[in-house]
Amino acid sequence: MNKLSNKTKGILCILFSALCFSGMSSFINLSGDVPVPQKVFFRNLVALFFASAVLLKNHEPFKPTKGCLKYHFLRSSVGLLGVFGNFYATTHMAHTADAAMLNKLSPFATLLFSAIFLKEKVKPKQAVAIIVAFVGAMFVIKPTMSNIEIVPSIAGFVGGLSAGAAYTCVRHMANKGENGRFTVFFFSLFSVAVTAPYLIFNYSPMTGKQFLYLMLVGLCAAGGQFGITAAYGFAPSSEISIFDYSNIVFTAIEGYFFLGHQVPDTLSVVGYTIIIAMAVWMFIYNNKDNSLKKA
């Protein structure tokens, strides 16, 4: 990949990440009625194993770059909240693609948080795209008392916002020279430490198939984490975030073929269309703006 531009590397990494995370969503669903904290624990336990192995293989230190420790704790805290929101939504929503779509609000949230905390300028058209995307999310959430999935929908929405906050921290640490592989290791270790007490006192017995599915959840999560961390280290969200929406395509295909022919309802499809349209518009606008600057 050395001959590829950083932008191309970022795109390839984010596509790989999207495929991994779609697989993770499917295996979360297939693992059945295992409690969400237990699913989160095994997801991060497997990721911790792989992250540790990669650091050891590359002879890299198990310590953060100077000045990054506080950002690791912040990234891990909001990131874990995002994982809980996404896992709860994926487990309790009828359509896995709905949960995935809400999680894909994260690029918009990343732009918003980057503007607030990293002082990256958000232009008026980008602000419009962010607002319209959140309107699109309402079509997926359907915020009425008649929606029996309102709680998991809100959980998925909060999960998407939290993921955006986490990616903002990842971007900030990458700018400081932090090793992306250590970022994955720290998050995995933090998450295992936080969720382990639940298993000690409330462990729910699993079948062999459920255990296998959770191992695959962890494997896919590790691949997704490494991919997304590398992607935002190679290029800013404004250049590559659009490609993260391939996750919706992957998830919808898997939902149809492997999870009981899942087909999202009309309002959800309207929401998907609005959010993805805003993502495409923002992507085209950002790249056109970058071209004018280079001219």
Side-chain angles (χ1 to χ4, degrees), residues 98 101-102 105 132-142 248 263-278:
D98 280 5
M101 189 72 255
L102 291 173
L105 288 171
V132 176
F134 284 126
V135 171
M138 294 302 106
F139 282 88
V140 181
I141 297 173
K142 308 172 190 67
I248 306 302
V263 178
D265 62 29
T266 302
L267 285 177
S268 289
V269 172
V270 170
Y272 296 0
T273 304
I274 292 172
I275 295 171
I276 293 175
M278 288 302 98

Side-chain angles (χ1 to χ4, degrees), residues 67-80:
C68 285
L69 183 59
K70 62 182 178 182
Y71 296 110
H72 277 295
F73 277 109
L74 179 59
R75 179 262 186 273
S76 297
S77 297
V78 294
L80 184 58

Side-chain angles (χ1 to χ4, degrees):
M1 292 180 66
N2 290 334
K3 295 182 180 180
L4 302 178
S5 68
N6 280 345
K7 180 178 177 180
T8 301
K9 291 177 182 179
I11 291 171
L12 291 175
C13 286
I14 213 166
L15 288 174
F16 173 74
S17 172
L19 181 60
C20 287
F21 281 130
S22 69
M24 183 189 76
S25 295
S26 295
F27 290 125
I28 290 169
N29 198 292
L30 288 169
S31 66
D33 59 357
V34 177
V36 171
Q38 193 162 315
K39 292 180 180 181
V40 173
F41 173 83
F42 281 102
R43 171 227 195 267
N44 289 294
L45 182 65
V46 177
L48 177 61
F49 172 81
F50 279 98
S52 301
V54 170
L55 287 176
L56 288 170
K57 179 178 181 295
N58 294 330
H59 304 289
E60 294 170 333
F62 283 77
K63 63 179 182 180
T65 297
K66 185 178 180 180
C68 285
L69 183 59
K70 62 182 178 182
Y71 296 110
H72 277 295
F73 277 109
L74 179 59
R75 179 262 186 273
S76 297
S77 297
V78 294
L80 184 58
L81 177 61
V83 171
F84 267 98
N86 178 243
F87 272 43
Y88 187 86
T90 301
T91 299
H92 293 91
M93 295 185 79
H95 303 109
T96 306
D98 280 5
M101 189 72 255
L102 291 173
N103 192 249
K104 290 308 124 187
L105 288 171
S106 59
F108 294 96
T110 300
L111 280 177
L112 182 62
F113 290 127
S114 293
I116 296 172
F117 299 108
L118 303 185
K119 308 305 179 185
E120 294 181 3
K121 187 176 180 181
V122 174
K123 297 186 173 74
K125 288 185 179 180
Q126 292 175 315
V128 170
I130 292 171
I131 293 170
V132 176
F134 284 126
V135 171
M138 294 302 106
F139 282 88
V140 181
I141 297 173
K142 308 172 190 67
T144 64
M145 295 308 294
S146 61
N147 178 14
I148 60 173
E149 295 186 350
I150 186 64
V151 173
S153 295
I154 292 174
F157 180 75
V158 172
L161 295 182
S162 299
Y167 297 149
T168 302
C169 292
V170 169
R171 178 72 182 158
H172 182 60
M173 289 190 290
N175 289 338
K176 285 178 168 289
E178 182 58 282
N179 180 359
R181 291 176 288 274
F182 178 80
T183 300
V184 175
F185 165 79
F186 191 96
F187 172 69
S188 301
L189 179 62
F190 178 91
S191 301
V192 167
V194 170
T195 54
Y198 177 89
L199 261 72
I200 294 173
F201 297 104
N202 297 285
Y203 178 78
S204 177
M206 300 182 291
T207 65
K209 184 177 288 188
Q210 286 177 316
F211 179 77
L212 174 61
Y213 285 143
L214 289 185
M215 291 298 101
L216 291 172
V217 165
L219 180 62
C220 289
Q225 276 188 291
F226 278 115
I228 200 72
T229 300
Y232 284 111
F234 282 126
S237 61
S238 60
E239 293 184 2
I240 63 174
S241 61
I242 183 63
F243 296 97
D244 200 26
Y245 288 85
S246 60
N247 172 269
I248 306 302
V249 178
F250 298 144
T251 303
I253 292 172
E254 292 168 13
Y256 183 80
F257 286 104
F258 304 116
L259 301 175
H261 298 285
Q262 292 182 359
V263 178
D265 62 29
T266 302
L267 285 177
S268 289
V269 172
V270 170
Y272 296 0
T273 304
I274 292 172
I275 295 171
I276 293 175
M278 288 302 98
V280 172
W281 180 48
M282 188 167 58
F283 177 73
I284 293 172
Y285 171 76
N286 288 338
N287 279 276
K288 185 177 180 180
D289 188 54
N290 289 337
S291 297
L292 290 174
K293 288 179 180 178
K294 293 178 181 178

